Amino acid sequence: MISPPPLTGIKVLEFGGLAPGPFAGLLLADNGASVLRLDRSIPNKTHSASVASLPVTGDLLTRHKSSIAVDLKSPSGVNFVKSLLPAADIVIDPFRPGVLEKLGLSPDAMLEINPRIIVGRMTGFRRDGIYKDMAGHDINYIAVSGALAMFGRKGEKPLPPANILGDFAGGGATLFQGLLLALIERGKCGKGQVVEANMVDGSAYLATFPRMLLKTPLWNRSRGENTLDSGCPYYDIYETKDGKYMAVGALEPQFFVELLKGLGLGDKGIEKTRDDRANWPKMEESFTSIFKSKTRSEWETVFNKTDACCTPVLDYKELESNSSREGDQRPAVTLRSSPSFALSSGPSTRDPSTGQGPGIEGGSYSGLGLYPGEGGEETLNQWLGWKRGKDFDVERGGLVKKSVSKL
């Protein structure tokens, strides 16, 4: 018997932001939570009859979310947010330190209104660190965490892995983990709390194992000269004849032997001296030349169904267009009894325990922008039974609580 996603019934208020905060909200929404984003109001546009004139926000991480527009610069807008807190389980704060405090929406103020609420706060730098008052982006956060210095080839400058490590892995996903821990704790004690996450500590924590390896022969040399950072010829990327690439990760001796067989080097005795670093430059040169002798497709045929740990480097363009590849993006983990929502579209006949039931418009390759105010009034009705004109009104494009007349 398949049950609804595990976070069904959890209500989340997500202050509009970009990247890490919305990603934490997306993870909650993909797992069944009702996520209501709080966007900036636009006078005479938001919550009006014409949504065609509204600008779509830059946030594409909007699956299963809805939005309301609120003027946080006005007391009535702040009071409206406060009126939602008793119904909420989680609030996501993506702002720099001090922003919500200036609005009168500090974590303490929220917990006073609703002692069960969980306030998730996402910052780049540590709140108590030397960079706490500075602006920054992913590249800055992973730079001061020590993680960025580990990426890159010998003799080259460090190479940031886009904004995956800081914003999403060390940021949004780490905040999501903290929110889940807080939900578990609330289930035991009945009280909410503040969850603090930052991308410096998040990315540094993710680098726990390689950081420890720096004290071992596996990674105690300069960048690009170690086994796992492109210094080793049997753990590297090689270009093929057609300008594509194959990834090699034949670390164990038995896998290395299979790699040599596929490359036509099985009778050279290379496996006997593979750990001698003095041989690595020549081995790298040989592997480079051999891989360029065939196309990627030809190498796939050679190594398919072997233990050589040699696979094609696939990009998302071909994954999206080729149904034979593993391009149907799925939830990060699968709960077989209570699966998450599907990330990509597909027939309803798919096994729902893989998280692959019917998908939504846009799927996992094309994020859909969310208009400020889109779907939010319906969410308020679902959460609280509120309706416009009866429980709230619109002032200058933002929602405000309707005054209760006194007889």
Side-chain angles (χ1 to χ4, degrees):
M1 181 67 179
I2 300 298
S3 301
L7 297 182
T8 300
I10 297 296
K11 301 178 180 67
V12 181
L13 291 175
E14 176 193 305
F15 283 95
L18 290 175
F23 187 57
L26 180 72
L27 289 169
L28 293 166
D30 279 346
N31 286 283
S34 175
V35 179
L36 179 61
R37 195 176 70 190
L38 306 178
D39 285 308
R40 294 181 181 180
S41 61
I42 305 174
N44 302 317
K45 288 189 176 182
T46 45
H47 292 287
S48 66
S50 175
V51 297
S53 61
L54 287 175
V56 177
T57 66
D59 178 18
L60 296 178
L61 305 174
T62 62
R63 283 194 303 260
H64 310 295
K65 297 181 184 180
S66 58
S67 165
I68 58 172
V70 182
D71 182 4
L72 292 178
K73 294 182 179 180
S74 74
S76 58
V78 172
N79 286 334
F80 186 79
V81 174
K82 289 181 177 179
S83 72
L84 300 178
L85 296 177
D89 296 287
I90 294 173
V91 172
I92 296 178
D93 168 16
F95 302 127
R96 290 177 66 175
V99 171
L100 286 186
E101 283 82 352
K102 291 179 181 179
L103 297 173
L105 291 169
S106 68
D108 288 343
M110 290 193 240
L111 283 163
E112 186 174 345
I113 294 171
N114 179 1
R116 288 178 53 82
I117 206 164
I118 295 167
V119 183
R121 313 193 83 184
M122 182 77 257
T123 60
F125 298 116
R126 290 177 174 175
R127 287 183 180 271
D128 60 348
I130 61 174
Y131 308 104
K132 62 184 177 65
D133 296 321
M134 295 172 54
H137 280 293
D138 181 294
I139 193 171
N140 307 112
Y141 310 137
I142 66 173
V144 303
S145 78
L148 179 55
M150 305 181 77
F151 295 98
R153 292 188 176 274
K154 180 180 178 180
E156 298 180 3
K157 62 184 179 181
L159 179 66
N163 65 332
I164 297 172
L165 178 56
D167 281 347
F168 297 105
T174 299
L175 176 59
F176 174 66
Q177 173 183 280
L179 295 172
L180 295 183
L181 292 173
L183 283 171
I184 293 172
E185 177 63 15
R186 191 181 72 175
K188 294 188 293 184
C189 70
K191 295 181 180 180
Q193 62 178 299
V194 181
V195 176
E196 294 277 9
N198 70 78
M199 286 172 261
V200 173
D201 290 332
S203 56
Y205 200 90
L206 288 165
T208 294
F209 184 57
R211 187 171 64 249
M212 292 177 176
L213 287 180
L214 295 175
K215 304 291 185 180
T216 74
L218 197 63
W219 210 321
N220 63 358
R221 290 171 172 77
S222 299
R223 182 176 61 250
E225 296 181 0
N226 302 283
T227 303
L228 300 179
D229 67 353
S230 78
C232 175
Y234 43 90
Y235 197 89
D236 207 347
I237 308 295
Y238 291 94
E239 186 177 358
T240 59
K241 186 178 181 179
D242 53 349
K244 297 181 180 180
Y245 299 92
M246 294 292 289
V248 173
L251 292 175
E252 289 78 8
Q254 67 273 26
F255 300 154
F256 184 71
V257 169
E258 292 300 314
L259 175 68
L260 293 179
K261 289 180 181 177
L263 294 176
L265 299 173
D267 58 349
K268 305 295 183 181
I270 299 174
E271 68 277 4
K272 298 176 182 178
T273 59
R274 79 180 195 118
D275 293 325
D276 185 349
R277 288 176 176 267
N279 294 326
W280 282 9
K282 184 177 180 180
M283 191 186 303
E284 178 90 16
E285 183 179 342
S286 176
F287 286 4
T288 297
S289 176
I290 293 172
F291 270 108
K292 282 191 175 181
S293 68
K294 298 180 186 295
T295 65
R296 193 188 72 180
S297 179
E298 290 173 324
W299 284 121
E300 287 186 74
T301 300
V302 170
F303 289 110
N304 187 33
K305 298 182 180 180
T306 73
D307 283 341
C309 300
C310 186
T311 57
V313 177
L314 305 174
D315 61 45
Y316 283 124
K317 184 176 181 179
E318 61 185 311
L319 282 170
E320 181 181 9
S321 61
N322 191 336
S323 59
S324 67
R325 299 289 190 182
E326 296 181 346
D328 59 326
Q329 301 299 305
R330 300 182 179 184
V333 295
T334 294
L335 302 180
R336 294 206 172 272
S337 297
S338 53
S340 308
F341 289 131
L343 305 190
S344 58
S345 60
S348 58
T349 54
R350 281 193 304 200
D351 181 0
S353 68
T354 65
Q356 292 296 288
I360 62 172
E361 184 183 356
S364 57
Y365 284 96
S366 302
L368 297 177
L370 191 65
Y371 292 104
E374 183 178 348
E377 294 188 39
E378 290 84 351
T379 300
L380 293 178
N381 184 257
Q382 293 168 5
W383 284 19
L384 298 157
W386 287 0
K387 294 182 179 180
R388 187 195 291 206
K390 178 177 178 292
D391 303 284
F392 62 87
D393 281 320
V394 179
E395 289 184 4
R396 293 180 54 79
L399 299 189
V400 297
K401 198 75 174 71
K402 189 172 178 63
S403 300
V404 179
S405 58
K406 296 181 181 180
L407 300 177

